[in-house]
Amino acid sequence: MAVTGVISRVESFPVAPRWLFVRIETDDGLVGWGEASLEGYVDVVRAAVDQFALTLVGADPRRIEDHWQVLTKGQFYRGGPVLASAVSGVDQALWDLQGKRLGVPVHELLGGAVRDRIRAYGWVGGDDPDEVGDHIAAQLEVGLTAVKMNASGRMSRNGSKSELDAVVARVARAREVLGPDRDVAVDLHGRFTLGTARRLASLLEPLHPFFLEEPVVPENSHVIERMVEATTIPIATGERLYSRQEFLPALQAGIAIGQPDLAHAGGISESRRIAALAETFDAMIAPHCPLGPLALAACLQVGFATPNHLIQEQSIGIHYNKGAEVLDYVVDTEPLRFVDGGFERLTGPGLGIEIDEQAVRAAAGRWETWQNPVWRHADGSMAEW
């Protein structure tokens, strides 16, 4: 008797503003979706997904862990953001398929819900304090109780007094608008040297930031312990770490919050393990997700089943989405509606959202490659973006 329910097709769709969706179909007509967005390298990740399809077509989609092991370790050369992102999109789609086949949301497959709602934060821009205040007010109007802001734009190597004063003024304005009962996180984006980040942290402490994110670039995680020891502000990092092994040194250094990106760090399977590892260090997770609806839904599914989940990043209405919005690709926006500063537990099968396939296919036909800008210091040398 012929086996039914095996994977018959693997497709990927690059869509505006800078995302990559993965679609996996079985021969009995079931479809699962995932997100493999790697900003700036979508076309490269897409090639990796195409190569993974050679292994996946004809296979049983229910063997999610076996597929994760083969796709991450089956070839001699492994690791890195491109392959990890491709695996992430496939992994999410396989979990989506399994949830749909069984008629349950993914969080029920992960052990069941440990919470009924997840707090979320929104991004705010603004180059001066007044703009920051206006942007935060807009986030409060939609019901959010927490925001995150970049500490700065391009930062000189040793951080001048005027540069640091400007950061403090903007965060102070954020605190003024938010008051004492709401939160502002500050993202250093790897733009600061360790010395400048330590100096800035001491200036920000009276403003009580929710956390300081990525105070050093990820390849310098071996010095993040010196950042942790320099401040009482919780230190967060992890959007550019792609496995448990890469998170381990940062957790050993004492970070308070790990930020795996479910579109980069091995999908639902590996991010769940990263969360469990973080729990052994009394650390929480706040998954990185300035991405599309599938990545957000995957983050929420993990969050509903993860005891040490703190808060969820999301990019609905974010200032740098150009050409498409998060909710443009979903049929029903209700599951991703803000309620009391966050999201209520998703109840639909699989990832809990329905993708508008027609809109995705149309958007893929209009795809234009996106790359982040390259910044330079005044002397002409490259600056961290």
Side-chain angles (χ1 to χ4, degrees), residues 20-73:
L20 182 68
F21 296 167
V22 175
R23 181 186 184 274
I24 297 181
E25 183 177 350
T26 62
D27 63 357
D28 58 355
L30 207 60
V31 172
W33 289 89
E35 186 165 342
S37 304
L38 182 63
E39 307 93 300
Y41 291 100
V42 163
D43 300 297
V44 183
V45 176
R46 194 179 187 195
V49 172
D50 288 343
Q51 183 165 338
F52 288 164
L54 301 177
T55 298
L56 293 167
V57 171
D60 185 347
R62 292 164 292 194
R63 299 185 63 179
I64 300 173
E65 182 60 27
D66 186 65
H67 292 311
W68 191 94
Q69 294 290 332
V70 170
L71 295 181
T72 57
K73 303 175 183 177

Side-chain angles (χ1 to χ4, degrees), residues 5-7 24 26 30 32-34 52 55-56 59-74 86-102 104-111 244 262 265-273 298 301-302 350-351:
V6 299
I7 297 171
I24 297 181
T26 62
L30 207 60
W33 289 89
F52 288 164
T55 298
L56 293 167
D60 185 347
R62 292 164 292 194
R63 299 185 63 179
I64 300 173
E65 182 60 27
D66 186 65
H67 292 311
W68 191 94
Q69 294 290 332
V70 170
L71 295 181
T72 57
K73 303 175 183 177
V87 169
S88 297
V90 169
D91 182 80
Q92 291 175 30
L94 293 177
W95 280 104
D96 190 37
L97 274 172
Q98 183 72 337
K100 288 175 177 174
R101 187 170 296 281
L102 298 176
V104 297
V106 167
H107 63 77
E108 290 195 17
L109 304 178
L110 300 176
R244 286 160 286 165
L262 270 73
I268 290 170
S269 296
E270 182 70 350
S271 296
R272 175 78 161 157
R273 292 188 280 258
Q301 294 293 345
V302 168
L351 293 182

Side-chain angles (χ1 to χ4, degrees), residues 18 43 45 60 160 162-163 177 187 190 204 288 358 374:
R18 51 184 189 166
D43 300 297
V45 176
D60 185 347
S160 69
S162 64
E163 287 175 311
V177 175
D187 188 355
L204 291 178
H288 179 255
Q358 184 176 356
V374 175

Side-chain angles (χ1 to χ4, degrees), residues 199-271:
R199 178 180 287 174
L200 176 64
S202 67
L203 299 174
L204 291 178
E205 279 193 351
L207 298 171
H208 201 81
F210 197 46
F211 55 76
L212 288 185
E213 179 174 336
E214 210 173 40
V216 296
V217 289
E219 56 266 35
N220 286 345
S221 289
H222 58 283
V223 300
I224 203 167
E225 183 175 7
R226 293 167 62 190
M227 188 71 209
V228 171
E229 293 174 345
T231 181
T232 61
I233 303 172
I235 299 300
T237 197
E239 69 184 74
R240 291 188 278 181
L241 303 176
Y242 311 113
S243 67
R244 286 160 286 165
Q245 290 84 351
E246 292 185 8
F247 268 90
L248 181 58
L251 290 164
Q252 290 172 324
I255 66 166
I257 301 163
Q259 298 174 296
D261 187 313
L262 270 73
H264 305 335
I268 290 170
S269 296
E270 182 70 350
S271 296

